[in-house]
Amino acid sequence: MKRRKLRPDEEELWRKVVSNAERLHPEKPLRPQDFVTTPPVQPRKKATFEAVPKSLTIQPARPTATAHLSPTIAEQVGAQPVQMDRKAFDQMKRGKLRPEGKLDLHGMTLERAHPALTRYILSAQAQGKRLVLVVTGKGKQRDDGGPIPVRFGVLRHQVPQWLSMPPLSSAVLQVTQAHLRHGGGGAYYVYLRKLR
């Protein structure tokens, strides 16, 4: 960077400052040339923009009705690995297998539903049943409008967790969302293990 010379008015101002100031290091002489001044700011050229093809423009994301960060209960249940016979699993998912029993938890509280589910699953396994239907209902949508979205269907979310915990986990081989003819998102197929 090339040093700029002081203008006469700047030099005069400098002399006034020096005459009134006390030096910190009197052994070193002061000269105006020792100080670097910033160069004048050059105006920038205005940027010119070319038209961007529509195929390259970024479109804003469309807002979804419910923006949840975690997967839905259907996605969580559907992501479980297939433990049972693949052919039977495919038939069950398509609603071709007929459930041998049905438990309707719809409208129950959590305190009533959990013991009823435990009793039913263990007794169905003891009777030799393999495929049962557990109806939870889809739940009522009660979003209070707060900043955090609220999921609806408490039993619908809780039943898969109960089925994956002891004592039911030892009786259950597979859990998947029911086909529309058996209740769809408001019911689960529960495929039971054979008693040894």
Side-chain angles (χ1 to χ4, degrees):
M1 179 189 232
K2 190 176 176 183
R3 289 187 180 180
R4 172 176 83 78
K5 300 260 185 197
L6 292 176
R7 294 189 313 255
D9 59 325
E10 291 173 331
E11 218 170 303
E12 182 184 334
L13 178 63
W14 175 250
R15 284 195 182 93
K16 284 182 184 177
V17 170
V18 170
S19 66
N20 295 334
E22 288 186 34
R23 296 197 45 204
L24 292 175
H25 304 286
E27 64 276 356
K28 189 174 177 185
L30 289 178
R31 298 176 311 180
Q33 296 81 12
D34 293 337
F35 296 95
V36 178
T37 59
T38 57
V41 177
Q42 304 249 337
R44 289 188 178 186
K45 292 181 183 177
K46 289 191 175 185
T48 57
F49 296 100
E50 296 176 18
V52 178
K54 194 161 191 148
S55 61
L56 297 177
T57 58
I58 298 173
Q59 301 298 323
R62 293 182 187 143
T64 57
T66 54
H68 295 291
L69 296 179
S70 61
T72 64
I73 192 66
E75 292 168 344
Q76 290 174 12
V77 171
Q80 299 299 321
V82 178
Q83 303 289 327
M84 58 187 281
D85 176 58
R86 187 67 187 186
K87 186 177 177 183
F89 177 76
D90 291 339
Q91 287 180 330
M92 179 178 73
K93 287 281 288 177
R94 289 194 308 256
K96 302 291 183 188
L97 291 182
R98 188 172 177 195
E100 300 169 59
K102 176 181 170 183
L103 172 66
D104 193 351
L105 300 174
H106 188 248
M108 287 189 188
T109 63
L110 291 173
E111 292 77 25
R112 286 185 54 214
H114 192 195
L117 178 68
T118 305
R119 226 179 3 262
Y120 180 76
I121 294 295
L122 295 177
S123 67
Q125 186 189 32
Q127 294 168 11
K129 294 180 181 176
R130 295 303 305 275
L131 179 63
V132 294
L133 185 69
V134 177
V135 178
T136 61
K138 292 182 182 178
K140 292 183 182 176
Q141 190 165 4
R142 293 185 195 131
D143 194 356
D144 59 358
I148 300 172
V150 178
R151 286 213 169 131
F152 55 95
V154 177
L155 282 176
R156 199 172 122 224
H157 286 81
Q158 197 62 47
V159 165
Q161 291 178 355
W162 288 337
L163 292 169
S164 66
M165 296 182 333
L168 298 179
S169 59
S170 61
V172 175
L173 185 63
Q174 190 79 46
V175 178
T176 189
Q177 188 171 317
H179 188 270
L180 282 174
R181 71 175 57 144
H182 294 127
Y188 293 105
Y189 292 129
V190 181
Y191 201 80
L192 302 173
R193 296 180 192 277
K194 283 184 183 176
L195 272 180
R196 293 184 180 99

